[in-house]
Amino acid sequence: MRRAIISSDDFGLSVEVNEAIEIAHRDGVLSTASLMMAGPAVEDAIERARRIPTLKVGLHLVVIEGPCVLPPSEIPLLVSPDGQFPSDQLKLGINYFFRPAVRKQLAAEIEAQFAAFARTGLTLDHANAHKHMHLHPTVGKLMIESGKRHGLRAVRVPLEPPEPLMAAGTYVDSFGAAALRHWTRLLRWQARSAGMVTNDWCFGIEWSGHMTPDRVAALAAHLPDGVSEIYFHPATHKNALLQKLMPTYEHEAELAALCSPGFRAGLADSHTDLIGWSDLSR
């Protein structure tokens, strides 16, 4: 039995991203979006989500390379004076794990992002983290603990099996990818121990920013049994911010993929049911 959740990250990052999410939901197969609570276009995203109640929205937690919700003066060990998290993943990971003062501020910021989501009045559909930082055991633990207080029931586990990618295109497995797959077991255990549901598989990691129409149509034909989340980074066009943050991403091609007849046909031909997180039982 094959089931798929089709989603987009970075809701609220820019109006161009928000426009693409609305188009992909209206004209394509997108059902779900993950909202950045301090994104430059978050108010526009919230307005669209309220206007389109069939679009399921969750929290895209930002604890790396992005803006914070709390005033920077309250979390000086986390962010720069202008409120930006750094992009050094290794250094952040060490600080989050080994420095109690940093962990305390991190917990406060994560709680603030969930609280900001709650104030929108939107139903919290799921949660994940920017650049999958919830794979870090401290971030995952704090996200799940805070999320549970706010009604969180579903968490993305970024486990991408290599076989469908090999069947769908030119992909060679690596030691790093294999290590990441093993590491996801901790996050799955954390989520399920808290009574939350998870996906079985996740696609969009290896081809992040390059989920083009041909690729996703081929992938749809080779999805494994179980629940797959397939996530995208669409935009109607690349503005200056997207060019700065993701210069190589094919945002417009990803929007085209979400609306492509080939992707829709591939899902149908492989007998893949399109679902949402709320369709999963505990």
Side-chain angles (χ1 to χ4, degrees):
M1 184 177 182
R2 299 180 182 89
R3 296 186 290 172
I5 300 167
I6 313 297
S7 66
S8 172
D9 284 355
D10 298 343
F11 197 27
L13 179 60
S14 76
V15 171
E16 294 80 3
V17 171
N18 299 347
E19 289 173 339
I21 288 172
E22 181 172 353
I23 292 168
H25 180 65
R26 184 187 68 221
D27 301 334
V29 293
L30 184 79
S31 66
T32 305
S34 301
L35 183 63
M36 304 173 78
M37 292 316 305
V42 66
E43 293 303 325
D44 175 79
I46 293 168
E47 187 278 328
R48 291 175 195 267
R50 287 172 176 164
R51 178 163 45 82
I52 314 168
T54 52
L55 178 67
K56 305 302 182 182
V57 181
L59 176 65
H60 194 52
L61 183 72
V62 176
V63 293
I64 185 174
E65 199 176 84
C68 61
V69 166
L70 287 174
S73 59
E74 293 185 19
I75 48 172
L77 299 178
L78 295 184
V79 299
S80 60
D82 63 350
Q84 293 289 317
F85 283 94
S87 58
D88 188 334
Q89 198 163 26
L90 177 61
K91 184 176 180 180
L92 278 175
I94 292 172
N95 286 341
Y96 289 166
F97 192 81
F98 289 105
R99 296 181 61 189
V102 172
R103 289 200 302 274
K104 183 177 180 179
Q105 293 186 13
L106 177 65
E109 172 63 18
I110 290 174
E111 175 65 23
Q113 291 189 32
F114 275 103
F117 189 101
R119 288 194 295 272
T120 69
L122 299 171
T123 299
L124 180 63
D125 181 69
H126 65 276
N128 54 55
H130 191 48
K131 295 187 175 295
H132 294 140
M133 277 296 287
H134 59 312
L135 283 171
H136 187 289
T138 303
V139 177
K141 176 177 180 290
L142 292 174
M143 185 186 83
I144 288 167
E145 288 177 350
S146 186
K148 193 166 187 177
R149 291 192 290 272
H150 292 275
L152 179 64
R153 295 189 59 225
V155 172
R156 172 194 293 167
V157 173
L159 172 58
E160 189 170 51
E163 294 83 6
L165 301 182
M166 293 174 181
T170 54
Y171 172 73
V172 178
D173 202 17
S174 67
F175 174 80
L180 177 63
R181 291 195 296 272
H182 286 289
W183 187 251
T184 62
R185 294 175 181 175
L186 174 58
L187 175 61
R188 193 182 302 279
W189 176 84
Q190 288 176 314
R192 290 187 173 175
S193 295
M196 297 179 186
V197 297
T198 65
N199 52 304
D200 297 306
W201 315 108
C202 184
F203 296 95
I205 301 169
E206 178 63 29
W207 295 339
S208 184
H210 307 286
M211 298 284 280
T212 57
D214 288 347
R215 272 183 166 173
V216 299
L219 175 63
H222 298 285
L223 289 176
D225 289 346
V227 177
S228 297
E229 184 186 9
I230 310 174
Y231 73 94
F232 293 78
H233 297 87
T236 51
H237 66 271
K238 210 179 190 79
N239 67 4
L241 178 61
L242 296 179
Q243 181 63 38
K244 176 184 177 182
L245 295 176
M246 295 166 274
T248 66
Y249 274 29
E250 300 174 80
H251 291 91
E252 294 169 63
E254 296 216 357
L255 172 56
L258 284 162
C259 298
S260 69
F263 187 29
R264 190 188 294 271
L267 292 167
D269 290 345
S270 64
H271 304 288
T272 300
D273 293 331
L274 297 182
I275 65 166
W277 289 105
S278 60
D279 296 311
L280 303 181
S281 59
R282 295 192 180 192

